[in-house]
Amino acid sequence: MTGSLIHLHNVQKKFGHTTVLDGISLDVRAGDVMAVIGPSGSGKSTLLRIVNQLEQHDAGLVAINGEKIDAATPRRQLARIRTQVGMVFQGFHLWPNMSVLDNITLAPRTIRGLSREQADAQAEQLLARVGLSAQRDRRPENLSGGQKQRVAIARALAMEPLAILFDEPTSALDPHLSNEVLEVMADLATTAGVTMMVVTHEIGFARRIANRTVYMQGGRIVQDAPTDTFFEHQQDPDILKFLSHT
Ligand SMILES: Nc1ncnc2c1ncn2[C@@H]1O[C@H](COP(=O)(O)OP(=O)(O)OP(=O)(O)O)[C@@H](O)[C@H]1O
């Protein structure tokens, strides 16, 4: 669809005989912050992984900024498209033997072709943005979980992606550290206009930051609505029950 950074149409995915995504269609436009919520096992992580092709879909259409991607997409083209969609994982996935600064500058230097000076200057700005300037020379093992996740966010931003996918970014963190990460994400969404798809169990975050909320159940999108409508005028009994338990 015109104007969509992320466009999915009737996407299907099975693992063995189990259908995990059953006809998913959605569009994410520039500036959207889409929260994806729903019960455990409803297919939320699989959906994100298909958007940047960590998993391949069996049928349907996935397009990033108008470029269709699937199992037949040549590796170089896929690698290029992937750089346009950053990913932040629950488990951080930082390089353990590199400093914070090098974690952030590696891909910009090797993939975007930035010089060391350019990449360092950009990383310094990003570290300031996520509140970690003082940690630039530390190794990940010497950081708290919240700090690690903020480095992972800075690393994703350093590729200047069109959108960032967050897969339960605070699930591994205690509430205090979760809040540090959620505040950084809120800042990016509201002041920097970063386009995001966020799989989350943090209903408060969805309610406060997302402009759209998608509810998944059994591999389907049951509802895709403006966040205000979703929370203020919700009538679906299953969704109301889910919200009352979170
Ligand atoms: N690589 C895989 N191989 C086989 N089954 C898988 C694989 N990945 C996910 N599944 C199954 O697909 C279903 C959807 O999983 P997924 O992780 O996408 O759900 P989710 O909504 O993100 O759940 P949660 O909130 O618990 O993380 C589950 O039944 C899961 O067991």
Side-chain angles (χ1 to χ4, degrees):
M1 186 187 278
T2 319
S4 289
L5 293 184
I6 298 169
H7 173 64
L8 271 61
H9 183 70
N10 203 16
V11 168
Q12 312 275 342
K13 177 68 181 173
K14 283 186 180 183
F15 287 116
H17 294 296
T18 310
T19 299
V20 175
L21 297 181
D22 189 9
I24 298 286
S25 298
L26 61 77
D27 285 280
V28 178
R29 295 178 184 79
D32 270 346
V33 177
M34 176 187 280
V36 182
I37 64 173
S40 188
S42 55
K44 306 181 297 294
S45 295
T46 306
L47 168 63
L48 275 200
R49 294 169 66 80
I50 281 176
V51 169
N52 80 345
Q53 294 286 288
L54 290 172
E55 299 282 359
Q56 286 168 348
H57 48 298
D58 302 323
L61 174 68
V62 177
I64 305 297
N65 206 19
E67 274 187 276
K68 180 181 154 194
I69 45 174
D70 56 29
T73 306
R75 284 170 66 104
R76 286 175 71 94
Q77 188 187 353
L78 185 60
R80 178 176 55 73
I81 296 170
R82 267 209 190 121
T83 65
Q84 300 175 346
V85 186
M87 184 120 176
V88 173
F89 301 90
Q90 182 180 339
F92 322 126
H93 294 204
L94 298 177
W95 305 104
N97 298 321
M98 287 185 195
S99 68
V100 163
L101 192 77
D102 287 344
N103 262 279
I104 297 171
T105 59
L106 180 68
R109 285 190 285 121
T110 55
I111 298 173
R112 291 181 58 217
L114 265 56
S115 68
R116 155 87 55 195
E117 290 70 28
Q118 287 170 324
D120 283 0
Q122 182 203 35
E124 303 272 4
Q125 281 184 1
L126 292 171
L127 283 170
R129 174 131 222 163
V130 302
L132 291 176
S133 296
Q135 279 72 33
R136 55 165 271 170
D137 296 319
R138 292 206 187 162
R139 295 281 171 100
E141 64 189 0
N142 299 318
L143 301 178
S144 72
Q147 289 174 328
K148 284 183 198 166
Q149 197 58 300
R150 287 185 282 151
V151 174
I153 292 170
R155 182 177 61 175
L157 288 166
M159 291 302 282
E160 300 186 352
L162 296 171
I164 302 185
L165 314 177
F166 292 83
D167 191 2
E168 301 191 16
T170 59
S171 296
L173 305 175
D174 67 35
H176 170 68
L177 297 179
S178 287
N179 272 338
E180 300 177 0
V181 173
L182 293 173
E183 286 311 314
V184 165
M185 291 171 64
D187 169 57
L188 295 176
T190 54
T191 63
V194 175
T195 305
M196 304 182 185
M197 252 180 108
V198 186
V199 168
T200 185
H201 293 282
E202 303 273 358
I203 299 303
F205 173 83
R207 201 167 181 154
R208 191 162 63 92
I209 308 301
N211 66 319
R212 283 170 59 202
T213 299
V214 165
Y215 181 82
M216 288 185 68
Q217 196 168 14
R220 291 173 174 268
I221 292 179
V222 175
Q223 210 170 92
D224 176 352
T227 296
D228 289 353
T229 312
F230 186 92
F231 288 103
E232 306 302 331
H233 304 288
Q234 188 53 254
Q235 305 213 321
D236 184 303
D238 287 345
I239 300 179
L240 286 169
K241 194 169 164 197
F242 173 82
L243 293 176
S244 73
H245 289 296
T246 52

